[in-house]
Amino acid sequence: LFFLHYKGTDNEDCGDFNAPGLGHAQAMIFAIEKINNDSSLLPNITLGYDIHDYCESAALAMKSTYQFVKGSDSHYACSQEAIRALARNKTATHSSSPIVSLIGPADSGSSVLVGSLLKVAGIPAVSYAATSEELSSPFYKNFYRTVPSDKQQASAMADLFEYFDWSYIATVAVDDSYGRYGVWALEKESFMRKSFCLALSEYIPRLNYMNKIKVIISKLKRRSNVRVVVLWLFGGYGRTFIHEVENQSLLDRTWILSDALASEQPNHIQPLFSVLDGALGIQPFYHHNEEFKSYLATITPKDMIRKRTSQWWEKVWTKEFNCSIKKSLELRACGENATLTQNVVQKLYDTFLPYVIEAVYAVAHALHMRSEERRVGKECR
């Protein structure tokens, strides 16, 4: 469950295309193909996948999760290896659950809802980017993640405040589990350290948020004594907020960016340097997966047609190479075997991408352990 498009405007579910989201989806496919070709991990078991784009929308995330749980045939991208394996073994006994695990979603607000639904279904989820402290609650016993919680992120921010002797802080957060629990973690740090206070805390709703953003920025302009502002935002919400900051010429603040916003691609951040010059961002440890980067550099238009993810790769080839992978003539015109440039590879790769691969491998190893336990149990009987 990835978001391959940013949140749309107030009345639209899906907005601009999110290149790193495609990188995440391809990282999952890359990991699954490696596992399927590894005779030591899950031997005689073929992993398949079903990838949905939820556009940063909690409602779409829940809709897709429900389809996963009930075994809907509405597949956006389905592993052909798994289909062939099922065709070869029609008499195989399958789990009563339509999926064995879910990778994602990326944001905490959607993860809270998805985690609640999967708890009822008894299906585990492993997120690669959801950091809310709320998800550490025993209630979400079927929810796991490969990134640290926001408790550590808030502590790192508080260290920055003390280092620079900033004592008067404002926060602007998305009104969901990610934003609220992030601000609450900062409030706990403020209470324990006594070295800074949160002078102003504002929240942006997940729906109909544009007017609220304008009001918040107007309020910050009037509070000239608040010089440091923490933005606990992600994706389309963060980009929209920063663009409106530029529109209203609020250029005399120091911005502290939470992990989701700090991980935005350079091509999104660079045009906003007039606003973000001097900003500081918090990110989880940055892993370099050179093997996957090399894999991306070998991808061709012909490969993407074969992988059946062309509905998303189409946008990459159209934007970067001005050609289509839907029409065979245009495909030949842009080069069936043309590979991605390093510039495009960099757009697809972000901080959280290696955590996607780790999430897939975590599920694979769990399945492997379970299959081994069943095999040993049969031998004992």
Side-chain angles (χ1 to χ4, degrees):
L1 194 59
F2 302 112
F3 74 93
L4 290 105
H5 291 83
Y6 287 103
K7 183 76 176 70
T9 56
D10 289 346
N11 297 317
E12 296 179 1
D13 285 328
C14 298
D16 294 338
F17 179 65
N18 176 31
L22 177 55
H24 296 163
Q26 202 63 41
M28 177 175 171
I29 296 171
F30 166 79
I32 287 176
E33 289 179 346
K34 278 198 67 178
I35 293 165
N36 285 341
N37 291 322
D38 184 349
S39 60
S40 65
L41 183 58
L42 291 175
N44 303 318
I45 295 176
T46 302
L47 295 181
Y49 54 83
D50 183 1
I51 298 174
H52 285 212
D53 176 11
Y54 74 99
C55 302
E56 288 188 307
S57 166
L60 288 180
M62 284 293 283
K63 181 179 179 181
S64 289
T65 303
Y66 178 68
Q67 290 176 349
F68 288 145
V69 170
K70 75 172 186 174
S72 168
D73 290 330
S74 176
H75 298 303
Y76 289 12
C78 189
S79 165
Q80 290 304 292
E81 291 86 351
I83 291 174
R84 286 194 292 270
L86 291 176
R88 290 194 301 267
N89 190 16
K90 294 180 181 178
T91 60
T93 301
H94 305 295
S95 166
S96 58
S97 299
I99 61 170
V100 294
S101 184
L102 174 70
I103 304 299
D107 68 282
S108 298
S110 296
S111 293
V112 166
L113 298 174
V114 168
S116 300
L117 178 56
L118 292 180
K119 178 176 181 287
V120 175
I123 297 172
V126 185
S127 176
Y128 54 92
T131 56
S132 171
E133 183 69 10
E134 180 181 8
L135 292 163
S136 298
S137 164
F139 177 81
Y140 301 99
K141 65 179 183 179
N142 291 82
F143 179 86
Y144 306 89
R145 52 186 163 195
T146 52
V147 288
S149 77
D150 286 334
K151 181 179 180 180
Q152 292 159 281
Q153 184 173 186
S155 178
M157 287 183 180
D159 288 343
L160 282 176
F161 302 156
E162 290 185 339
Y163 181 83
F164 289 107
D165 198 25
W166 292 331
S167 58
Y168 210 51
I169 312 295
T171 62
V172 179
V174 65
D175 192 5
D176 69 357
S177 180
Y178 176 66
R180 287 201 171 270
Y181 275 81
V183 173
W184 290 345
L186 274 179
E187 289 174 348
K188 290 178 183 177
E189 293 289 337
S190 173
F191 178 78
M192 290 187 298
R193 302 190 187 213
K194 311 294 184 186
S195 58
F196 68 93
C197 69
L198 300 186
L200 181 69
S201 294
E202 295 286 338
Y203 294 93
I204 296 173
R206 291 197 63 151
L207 298 175
N208 302 318
Y209 56 87
M210 194 62 226
N211 287 336
K212 181 64 175 179
I213 286 176
K214 292 179 179 179
V215 170
I216 291 173
I217 294 172
S218 297
K219 188 178 293 187
L220 286 172
K221 291 179 73 173
R222 295 194 297 270
R223 298 288 291 271
S224 58
N225 57 332
V226 179
R227 312 298 298 176
V228 179
V229 184
V230 174
L231 299 182
W232 215 294
L233 305 171
F234 63 87
Y237 302 95
R239 293 170 63 197
T240 301
F241 183 89
I242 294 171
H243 276 294
E244 186 59 27
V245 165
E246 185 178 46
N247 291 339
Q248 294 197 31
S249 299
L250 182 59
L251 307 178
D252 58 349
R253 300 293 192 276
T254 297
W255 306 98
I256 309 298
L257 312 181
S258 66
D259 60 335
L261 190 55
S263 300
E264 279 283 346
Q265 287 292 295
N267 59 308
H268 292 152
I269 295 296
Q270 286 170 355
L272 301 171
F273 272 173
S274 60
V275 175
L276 296 177
D277 187 23
L280 295 171
I282 307 294
Q283 286 188 348
F285 183 78
Y286 188 78
H287 294 283
H288 293 279
N289 192 312
E290 294 301 329
E291 184 182 8
F292 181 71
K293 280 189 174 180
S294 299
Y295 163 81
L296 281 178
T298 65
I299 285 176
T300 67
K302 188 185 293 185
D303 290 332
M304 291 307 98
I305 291 176
R306 190 166 62 248
K307 300 299 181 186
R308 295 188 66 203
T309 52
S310 60
Q311 66 268 42
W312 301 312
W313 278 101
E314 172 76 16
K315 298 186 178 183
V316 174
W317 292 104
T318 299
K319 182 176 180 181
E320 301 295 338
F321 301 96
N322 195 30
C323 59
S324 173
I325 62 174
K326 287 181 179 177
K327 301 176 182 178
S328 57
L329 288 176
E330 291 188 30
L331 177 60
R332 287 195 292 271
C334 71
E336 291 177 302
N337 297 311
T339 56
L340 300 174
T341 65
Q342 283 301 311
N343 181 49
V344 178
V345 168
Q346 201 59 41
K347 290 178 181 179
L348 295 167
Y349 197 99
D350 74 351
T351 304
F352 294 102
L353 190 147
Y355 294 95
V356 176
I357 296 174
E358 290 181 357
V360 175
Y361 267 89
V363 172
H365 281 288
L367 290 172
H368 184 87
M369 290 173 64
R370 189 173 71 174
S371 65
E372 285 296 294
E373 289 170 357
R374 288 176 175 174
R375 181 183 63 80
V376 171
K378 289 180 180 178
E379 291 177 354
C380 290
R381 288 196 297 271

